[in-house]
Amino acid sequence: MPTSAARSNRVAFVTGITGQDGGYLAEQLLAEGVTVHGLVRPGDSAAVEELLDRSPDVVLHEGDLADVDLVTGLVTELEPDEIYNLAGISSVAFSWEHPVLTAQLSGVAAATVLEAAWQTQESSGRRVAVVQASSAEIFGNADTSPQTESTTVRPVSPYGAAKAYAHQMTDIYRGRGLAASSCILFNHESPRRPETFVTRKITSAAARIGAEGTGVMRLGNLDASRDWGWAPDYVDAMVRAARAETPGDFVIATGETHTVAEFAEAALRRAGIGDSWRDHVEVDPQFFRPVDATAMVGDPGKARSELGWEPTVPFAEVVGRMVDHDLALLST
Ligand code: GDP
C-alpha cells in the first residue's frame, strides 16, 4: 500500500465520472497531474467510450454504486487523497418516476462513500477529503433569497430529499473529523448536458428552429427561474473545496436568476430568430412537475471568500456557447 511520502502525485476517486461534471472533472484533474480513478456502471459503454476519447488516462472500475462492499473495497484499496461523489440520479424530472432508486443512488450511496473514506482515513492515517455534489434542490421553495449555506433545508422533490440526506451525512462526517465538504451546486450547464434538462432541450430546439426558420419547442413551466452557471466552473469549485484547509458547505452559484422563458428567448435570438421568438414556444402540460421549485438563486459569497472561486461565464454566454454548439452539430 503506498504511503503519503512514497506517492509522487495525488490520487482521486470519482463516482459519476461518466456524467457532465465527471467528464470535466477528469479533464481538470488529469491536466494537474492527478491520478484519476472512476466508478462506472456496468453497461454504460457509450458514456465510457466518450469519456475515454476525451480522457484516455482515467482508470475505470466497473461496479454498482449501490454495492456497499464494492465501493468500500475500492476506497480502501485506492486510499485516495480526494473523493468526489458525483454519482446518482441527476434529473429532478426522472426522480419523480423513480423515487426509490433516487433515494438509493443520490442519498444512501453517499453514506457508503463517507463511511469508506472515514474508515480509510482511520486505518491509514492519511487525510481523505470528500466532496459531495450537493444541490440547490435541497432548499425546495426557499423562503429566503438568495439562498446561502444557512438557508433551511426543505426539499420538494424526491431528488431534493435524497440530496438533502447526503448533504446532512456529509456534515455529520465532517463533525467526526473527515475533511468532507458539500458543494451546494446550483444549475450548471454545458453542451454536454442531455436534453432531459431544459437548457439543452431549448438550445438544440433553438438551433433547429433557427436553421429551418420554422418550428416550435414545447416546454413546461416557463416562469420557473434558475441560477444557471457554466459546468466547468462548478467542477473547479469542487476541486477547491477538496483542497480547502477548512472543509464546509459552499453555495456554488452565479447570484443571477433567469426564467425558463428568458432562457428560451436568449437561445432563439442567438439562433437568429428575432422578436418573433415567442411564436416558437408552446406550453405543454406534460412537462410540468407535480411540485416545482419556482425560484432559485444562490449567494456564492462564502465560496468567493474561502475558496477564491468566481463564476467566469455569464448567463448570455452560457446560452450562446450551448446554441453555437448545437448549430455546429446541425452542420456536421
Ligand atoms: P432542475 O432545476 O435540476 O430540475 O433542471 P431542469 O433543467 O430539468 O429544469 C429546470 C426548470 O425548468 C424546472 O423548473 C422545470 O420545471 C422547468 N422546465 C420547463 N419546461 C421544461 C421542460 O420541458 N423540461 C425540463 N426538464 N424542465 C422544464
Side-chain angles (χ1 to χ4, degrees), residues 176-248:
R176 271 181 107 179
L178 193 68
S181 288
S182 271
C183 285
I184 306 168
L185 306 171
F186 282 61
N187 298 52
H188 48 288
E189 313 299 313
S190 77
R192 299 187 194 172
R193 262 298 195 216
E195 289 185 27
T196 43
F197 288 85
V198 78
T199 50
R200 186 74 195 291
K201 178 176 173 181
I202 290 173
T203 61
S204 66
R208 185 177 29 79
I209 293 166
E212 293 170 4
T214 180
V216 293
M217 58 176 85
R218 286 186 181 79
L219 302 173
N221 184 3
L222 294 184
D223 298 326
S225 69
R226 291 288 182 273
D227 180 330
W228 277 296
W230 181 240
D233 281 347
Y234 290 54
V235 160
D236 179 52
M238 289 193 271
V239 175
R240 287 168 187 259
R243 310 212 180 132
E245 214 165 287
T246 311

